[in-house]
Structure formats: structure tokens, C-alpha cells
Amino acid sequence: MMTNLFSVFDPSSSIMNWSINWISTLLFLSFIPMPFWFIPSRYSVLWNNAIQTLYKEFKILLGPNSQGSTFIFISLFSFIVFNNFLGLFPFIFTSSSHLSFTLSLALPLWISFMLYGWFNHTQHMFAHLVPQGTPSLLMPFMVCIETISNMIRPGTLAVRLAANMIAGHLLLTLLGNTGPSLMNSPIMLNILIITQLMLLTLESAVAIIQSYVFAVLSSLYSSETT
């Protein structure tokens, strides 16, 4: 039962043993050149305002010595939010609902932050393992706790994004599968359609929020190493 339930999220379509569903991850590239060839629309102005707001916020989080690293997290936010939104359209594979996608984003970022911090700010990284004001008896335990919490960060980032995306899509799939059985009851069918529209609106909000959370937490992890 569980295999059939989650099979809708399985990238099983393939040509010559190569999964073609993952091509949907690159569909957002088709939207990028449009502002260069068309008159700026309300959508492009809204997107530019959102990017400027994110830039100001990331600059505050990263500090005055960010030196352009804010654009890494803005690009990360844009990449994730485009993939989340494209997954809401019918017949488009939601790549952000798979751990292979989210871990490939979180793990390299975390490894690069750790390598940079331990090689360039070794004393600061050791001091970060013991919070200020910790009693002497608790210091060994705090080192273990901080080390474990630091090591599970890429996993929590990946699981949070994938779980939130797959939960909404799973609800929409389950409700959609009950549609044919309600064809003889117009009232229940209308209620089902209204519920799905409300869930779709909620999923649109989740797509933005989870992209924002992923980018902000990544920037916070980066600021701790500097």
C-alpha cells in the first residue's frame, strides 16, 4: 500500500536508462531570459523587489564582510522556489520532494562552511562547541551535543524541505483519487474541489516559506563559521 501511495513521486519515466523526470529541475531556466526581451511587467517588478528585500536581509545576517556571498543564497532561494512552484503544475515532476535533490543542495554547502571555518577560524570553531557560561562539569556533554547538532544540520535541512513538499502533494493526490467515487454526489464533489483549491493555495505559501527557510538557515550556518 505504501509503495503504491508514494509511487506518484517516483521518477520512473526513463529513456535509455536515464530518468527524464529530473529535466523538470531545469525548466526554470526558460523563464530567466524573458525580462531581457520583454517590457518589464508587474511580475518582473515584483520579483526584483523580492530579490532586493532578500539581499538586504541576507546582508544583515552575514554581516558587513559578506563580500557578495549574499548572491549565493539569493540564487539558492530562487532555484528552490522555482522548482517548488513548478511542482504544483500538473504532469511536472517535483524534484524538491526527493532527498537526492535536497541533500545535493544542503550537503555541499555544509561541507564547504565546515572546511572554511575549521581551516581559517579554528579557534572560533572550537570555542563555538562550548557556549559561554557553561559550567565545567557540563563542558564534555556540551561538546558532544554541539558536535551532533552540527553534524545533523544538512540532514535536517534536506528532510525539512522534502517532507514539507511531499506532505502537501500527498494530500492533493489522495483527495484527487477520491474524485471519481464522488461523481454521483455533486455537493461532495464541489466541497472536494474547494478543499483542493485551498490546499493548492496553502502549498503555494509553503513553496515560498520553505525556500526562504532553507536559504536563511544556510546563511546562518555560514555566518557562524566567520
Side-chain angles (χ1 to χ4, degrees):
M1 176 62 182
M2 295 303 291
T3 305
N4 295 332
L5 191 62
F6 286 94
S7 62
V8 293
F9 306 104
D10 185 26
S12 56
S13 300
S14 61
I15 294 178
M16 298 178 64
N17 296 324
W18 186 65
S19 178
I20 61 173
N21 280 343
W22 291 103
I23 298 178
S24 63
T25 309
L26 304 176
L27 283 178
F28 76 99
L29 294 174
S30 62
F31 297 100
I32 292 178
M34 292 178 63
F36 296 99
W37 304 107
F38 293 98
I39 298 175
S41 62
R42 296 178 182 178
Y43 301 107
S44 60
V45 172
L46 181 63
W47 179 251
N48 289 332
N49 291 335
I51 292 300
Q52 290 176 4
T53 305
L54 286 172
Y55 172 75
K56 294 176 182 178
E57 185 164 350
F58 287 142
K59 196 165 185 180
I60 294 173
L61 293 175
L62 296 172
N65 297 324
S66 57
Q67 297 178 352
S69 59
T70 53
F71 295 106
I72 298 175
F73 303 104
I74 291 175
S75 302
L76 182 66
F77 170 82
S78 304
F79 180 63
I80 297 175
V81 77
F82 270 113
N83 278 282
N84 290 348
F85 266 113
L86 286 172
L88 297 177
F89 289 93
F91 305 107
I92 296 182
F93 174 65
T94 311
S95 56
S96 55
S97 63
H98 280 259
L99 285 176
S100 56
F101 174 86
T102 54
L103 268 177
S104 63
L105 291 177
L107 196 58
L109 283 174
W110 178 80
I111 291 175
S112 61
F113 296 155
M114 289 297 101
L115 290 177
Y116 176 81
W118 283 105
F119 278 106
N120 296 282
H121 306 284
T122 308
Q123 186 175 359
H124 171 74
M125 296 297 290
F126 275 116
H128 185 68
L129 296 177
V130 182
Q132 189 175 2
T134 304
S136 301
L137 292 176
L138 296 178
M139 284 184 179
F141 299 101
M142 290 304 299
V143 170
C144 295
I145 293 172
E146 289 293 328
T147 303
I148 294 172
S149 65
N150 201 2
M151 292 181 65
I152 64 173
R153 281 177 175 178
T156 55
L157 274 178
V159 171
R160 181 187 292 110
L161 177 58
N164 280 280
M165 293 309 299
I166 202 172
H169 286 67
L170 189 59
L171 284 174
L172 289 171
T173 303
L174 291 174
L175 289 175
N177 290 335
T178 59
S181 61
L182 300 176
M183 294 301 292
N184 297 326
S185 178
I187 296 177
M188 294 300 297
L189 189 61
N190 290 331
I191 293 175
L192 177 63
I193 293 173
I194 293 172
T195 305
Q196 282 197 310
L197 288 175
M198 292 173 64
L199 273 175
L200 192 62
T201 305
L202 178 63
E203 276 296 290
S204 301
V206 169
I208 300 175
I209 293 171
Q210 291 305 315
S211 307
Y212 175 76
V213 168
F214 194 100
V216 167
L217 288 178
S218 300
S219 65
L220 288 175
Y221 298 158
S222 174
S223 63
E224 287 183 1
T225 61
T226 57

